[in-house]
Amino acid sequence: MPAVDKLLLEEALQDSPQTRSLLSVFEEDAGTLTDYTNQLLQAMQRVYGAQNEMCLATQQLSKQLLAYEKQNFALGKGDEEVISTLHYFSKVMDELNGLHTELAKQLADTMVLPVIQFREKDLTEVSTLKDLFGLASTEHDLSMAKYSRLPKKKENERVKTEVGKEVASARRKQHLSSLQYYCALNALQYRKRMAMMEPLIGFAHGQINFFKRGAEMFSKSMDGFLSSVTGMVQSIQVELEAEADKMRVSQQELLSVDESVYTPDSDVATPQINRNLIQKAGYLNLRNKTGLVTTTWERLYFFTQGGNLMCQPRGAVAGGLIQDLDNCSVMAVDCEDRRYCFQISTPSGKPGIILQAESRKEYEEWICAVNNISRQIYLTDNPEAVAIKLNQTALQAVTPITSFGKKQESSCSSQNMKNSDTENDKTIPQAAGSAPDTEELIAPGTPIQFDIVLPASEFLDQNRGSRRTNPFGETEDASFPEAEDSLLQQMFIVRFLGSMAVKTDHTTEVIYEAMRQVLAARAIHNIFRMTESHLMVTSQTLRLIDPQTQVSRACFELTSVTQFAAHQENKRLVGFVIRVPESTGEESLSTYIFESNSEGEKICYAINLGKEIIEVQKRHSLII
């Protein structure tokens, strides 16, 4: 231990300038020690605070590890091993937290507390003695100055005695304070070394004890557990790398496709259309009315579910019902300057939503899918097979033979609903023999009319203020007086598919062939627009009524209907032949094809019932 500089107590009374100079060195050293002690205490308190924070952190970490099990991850399958491992680590963290708590207590008692005591006791004592020594020195100087100014006269002996006593008292007080001050400064040289060593010894002992107990806790069993967990993590890493390689390969394959897949309407000329869809999903633009004449379009994700059209905005958890597609109708519409728009109407004929597809392929597939769903194909045991069969039948059986070449038709059985020569007011099924030649039914190159009349609004605009002229050459009033006296009045929702002139009305094959050619022409020319009407069957007429304006679009005398039948496979298709006299004296035959929301046989039954009523009324009038 090196020698320590100290103040000589014997020189305290003399208080020489040399002693004062040496005292200033000790005072400067004490001031430096005070500043350093404050900084040292801050550093040690930071270590203690960090240790306390470590205790809180390990405690919170332990709780957080246990909370993993309660998170209810949507993709938490196979997390059992992770949960058990985290439970074990939570237990280890609790034990480790106990060690950290004990270490924090030791640091507080053996490291921080000694420095605080040194600062508050020793350094504060030195500072207090310094102030007392300064006051005593000032008092002594004042008394000596007073004593020095005493006069030489003898009559002042009493004053001299009093001043002498005052000087002696001040000198004694200074001497006492200086001795105490010198002793404190001399002792400080030893105490500062102890104050620097003791906290570090306490810190070292605390850390050693912490490490020893930690080594006991992390024994060989813990090593084995860590080895197993490390093996599990490595196996997961191997699986991740393998999956990452697969995803990189898939990504390269997906990015190597033709650039046309990114173009919305790249195959507009010859799109590959799947007409057998019974479900469809994709983004469409939905038209929303914002005013009397203003509209907005919103891009949403649509999908079909059973017989429902669903919509799911981006960010929504689930989709919502937009429209029921059972027995609905779908048709192409013109919307401002937008392409690929189609409208889905309700079974009652009320116009529904208007949607826009992003390409011609999507546009036609959506129309086909909605049309297939509206037939309730999805309710069958094998809806995909039924959809394929129906569309194959349509593509094969509806090929326009008269326009594109000959085709041999296989013989088929049919129900003849023709009521001429019937007996006992019953409908007599007539089995058809071999199918007649197509040219005997429909002349080659016969034009097909796809729109029965103009839309009601346009028709009224063009004929406002004048008597309405029926496009079929008949005139009628706005009201239907025959419906009031009719014994029969049935209403059906139908959509007009097309009409064409025919050569004969002696067989229902002419209706089936017209159906084939009309559907084929629609498929070939991509015509999806259909005029929806209400078909009123009475005992006198067949009347087509606009569902919105209730204006009569067309009217046929029931007696002019010479043949009628429903399609044998697609029960919703129905047609009838009209015989109309010409000005030349001859008669023309035309076939009209419709798609109904209900079975076509019901319409045929209503027509047949009306014709039977006419026959009964005729016989009754003859008897009278």
Side-chain angles (χ1 to χ4, degrees):
M1 185 73 180
V4 177
D5 294 328
K6 58 182 179 179
L7 292 168
L8 297 177
L9 300 181
E10 293 80 4
E11 297 178 359
L13 179 61
Q14 187 179 359
D15 195 20
S16 63
Q18 292 80 6
T19 304
R20 284 280 183 155
S21 177
L22 182 60
L23 177 62
S24 65
V25 175
F26 276 77
E27 290 178 342
E28 181 181 357
D29 187 80
T32 303
L33 179 60
T34 301
D35 295 337
Y36 175 78
T37 303
N38 291 331
Q39 297 175 5
L40 178 64
L41 180 59
Q42 291 179 0
M44 291 185 174
Q45 285 178 335
R46 185 176 181 181
V47 173
Y48 172 69
Q51 186 60 41
N52 273 334
E53 181 63 27
M54 191 65 180
C55 296
L56 297 175
T58 52
Q59 183 179 8
Q60 182 179 2
L61 178 58
S62 176
K63 293 180 179 179
Q64 199 65 31
L65 294 178
L66 294 176
Y68 181 88
E69 185 180 8
K70 303 177 182 178
Q71 298 306 305
N72 295 324
F73 291 104
L75 305 176
K77 184 180 180 181
D79 282 351
E80 292 77 10
E81 293 184 1
V82 176
I83 292 174
S84 61
T85 303
L86 294 182
H87 274 256
Y88 187 87
F89 273 116
S90 175
K91 182 180 178 181
V92 172
M93 286 296 170
D94 289 336
E95 297 178 1
L96 187 60
N97 179 62
L99 296 181
H100 280 293
T101 303
E102 185 176 348
L103 176 59
K105 186 175 182 301
Q106 290 182 356
L107 293 180
D109 295 339
T110 62
M111 182 180 71
V112 179
L113 183 59
V115 177
I116 293 177
Q117 290 176 343
F118 172 69
R119 186 184 68 172
E120 298 298 331
K121 181 180 178 181
D122 298 323
L123 295 180
T124 302
E125 181 184 6
V126 170
S127 177
T128 302
L129 292 175
K130 178 181 178 181
D131 294 338
L132 293 176
F133 175 72
L135 292 174
S137 297
T138 302
E139 185 179 355
H140 176 261
D141 291 341
L142 292 175
S143 62
M144 286 301 299
K146 186 177 180 181
Y147 179 77
S148 299
R149 292 195 298 270
L150 287 175
K152 299 179 180 179
K153 297 179 180 180
K154 294 183 178 180
E155 57 271 14
N156 293 328
E157 289 297 328
R158 185 176 62 82
V159 176
K160 291 180 181 179
T161 302
E162 293 178 356
V163 172
K165 290 180 180 181
E166 184 179 346
V167 170
S169 176
R171 181 170 294 178
R172 180 178 178 82
K173 185 182 296 185
Q174 181 191 19
H175 188 207
L176 177 61
S177 62
S178 64
L179 289 176
Q180 293 176 342
Y181 187 36
Y182 288 0
C183 290
L185 288 176
N186 290 334
L188 185 63
Q189 302 304 310
Y190 296 92
R191 289 175 179 172
K192 73 175 182 180
R193 301 185 182 186
M194 294 170 55
M196 298 300 106
M197 300 300 177
E198 287 181 352
L200 298 179
I201 294 174
F203 174 79
H205 281 301
Q207 294 291 344
I208 292 172
N209 183 53
F210 175 79
F211 292 140
K212 284 183 177 180
R213 296 190 59 183
E216 294 175 358
M217 185 180 70
F218 290 93
S219 58
K220 294 182 178 180
S221 61
M222 186 65 182
D223 293 338
F225 174 75
L226 291 177
S227 299
S228 63
V229 174
T230 303
M232 181 179 67
V233 172
Q234 290 176 351
S235 65
I236 296 175
Q237 180 67 28
V238 172
E239 294 179 3
L240 172 61
E241 292 176 356
E243 185 64 25
D245 291 338
K246 291 181 181 179
M247 289 189 290
R248 280 192 292 269
V249 173
S250 299
Q251 182 180 6
Q252 293 176 357
E253 292 177 354
L254 293 174
L255 292 176
S256 62
V257 297
D258 191 85
E259 290 293 330
S260 61
V261 300
Y262 301 109
T263 306
D265 209 12
S266 60
D267 55 348
V268 63
T270 57
Q272 301 295 324
I273 302 170
N274 184 2
R275 303 183 183 276
N276 305 322
L277 297 173
I278 58 171
Q279 58 182 7
K280 181 71 175 171
Y283 280 97
L284 296 171
N285 290 327
L286 173 65
R287 183 185 182 186
N288 297 313
K289 285 188 176 181
T290 57
L292 294 177
V293 294
T294 58
T295 59
T296 59
W297 295 83
E298 184 179 6
R299 189 170 184 262
L300 300 170
Y301 187 80
F302 288 83
F303 62 95
T304 60
Q305 188 174 27
N308 299 322
L309 179 64
M310 312 293 288
C311 172
Q312 184 173 356
R314 182 172 296 177
V317 178
L321 176 64
I322 293 296
Q323 187 165 338
D324 185 359
L325 299 181
D326 288 345
N327 297 321
C328 72
S329 60
V330 58
M331 64 182 70
V333 293
D334 294 328
C335 293
E336 295 108 15
D337 57 346
R338 289 185 176 247
R339 305 176 300 165
Y340 309 135
C341 296
F342 59 94
Q343 183 181 53
I344 302 176
S345 302
T346 62
S348 62
K350 183 179 179 181
I353 59 175
I354 295 179
L355 302 170
Q356 180 195 22
E358 66 179 20
S359 65
R360 178 184 171 188
K361 179 178 182 295
E362 288 292 305
Y363 159 77
E364 296 190 10
E365 285 189 351
W366 268 105
I367 292 179
C368 292
V370 173
N371 193 33
N372 290 338
I373 294 173
S374 68
R375 301 177 183 179
Q376 299 182 350
I377 297 176
Y378 65 92
L379 296 177
T380 59
D381 294 336
N382 192 349
E384 291 83 1
V386 173
I388 293 173
K389 180 180 178 181
L390 288 178
N391 284 280
Q392 285 180 347
T393 302
L395 291 176
Q396 295 174 2
V398 304
T399 303
I401 303 171
T402 57
S403 301
F404 300 98
K406 287 283 186 177
K407 177 182 177 183
Q408 296 297 328
E409 292 289 342
S410 60
S411 60
C412 61
S413 60
S414 63
Q415 295 293 331
N416 187 358
M417 301 300 294
K418 185 176 180 181
N419 67 326
S420 60
D421 300 328
T422 59
E423 297 180 358
N424 300 325
D425 299 336
K426 300 291 184 180
T427 302
I428 302 177
Q430 176 180 337
S434 59
D437 193 343
T438 304
E439 293 187 1
E440 296 178 3
L441 304 176
I442 302 173
T446 300
I448 300 175
Q449 181 179 349
F450 294 109
D451 206 350
I452 193 167
V453 290
L454 290 173
S457 59
E458 299 178 14
F459 182 81
L460 291 177
D461 290 340
Q462 294 179 8
N463 296 278
R464 183 174 287 110
S466 62
R467 183 177 180 83
R468 193 172 74 86
T469 303
N470 191 283
F472 290 88
E474 301 174 359
T475 60
E476 61 174 339
D477 296 329
S479 60
F480 316 131
E482 77 279 358
E484 299 178 0
D485 301 330
S486 177
L487 299 177
L488 174 66
Q489 184 177 351
Q490 293 191 21
M491 187 77 74
F492 302 93
I493 299 175
V494 297
R495 287 171 291 278
F496 179 70
L497 298 179
S499 64
M500 59 191 308
V502 296
K503 285 186 173 184
T504 180
D505 60 354
H506 296 302
T507 174
T508 55
E509 288 296 328
V510 68
I511 297 178
Y512 300 145
E513 180 61 26
M515 290 179 178
R516 296 187 190 99
Q517 295 200 24
V518 168
L519 292 177
R522 279 182 170 270
I524 291 172
H525 298 291
N526 296 317
I527 300 175
F528 297 103
R529 181 190 298 275
M530 293 184 288
T531 303
E532 188 166 83
S533 305
H534 289 171
L535 176 64
M536 178 185 290
V537 181
T538 69
S539 59
Q540 301 175 21
T541 61
L542 293 179
R543 189 180 297 275
L544 290 174
I545 304 171
D546 185 274
Q548 297 180 0
T549 63
Q550 297 302 309
V551 174
S552 180
R553 286 175 168 168
C555 182
F556 308 100
E557 294 292 334
L558 199 58
T559 55
S560 66
V561 179
T562 59
Q563 193 67 258
F564 49 92
H567 198 279
Q568 294 173 324
E569 294 183 358
N570 188 349
K571 302 299 183 181
R572 296 170 62 183
L573 291 180
V574 65
F576 50 82
V577 180
I578 303 296
R579 182 181 289 271
V580 180
E582 298 288 345
S583 59
T584 59
E586 299 180 354
E587 293 181 333
S588 64
L589 298 175
S590 298
T591 302
Y592 295 86
I593 309 300
F594 295 88
E595 181 186 45
S596 172
N597 281 5
S598 57
E599 293 184 2
E601 291 291 345
K602 295 181 180 180
I603 299 178
C604 293
Y605 178 79
I607 296 175
N608 186 66
L609 183 59
K611 295 179 76 66
E612 290 178 354
I613 293 174
I614 293 175
E615 291 297 326
V616 172
Q617 289 176 342
K618 284 182 179 180
R619 288 198 296 269
H620 181 68
S621 62
L622 291 176
I623 293 174
I624 295 177

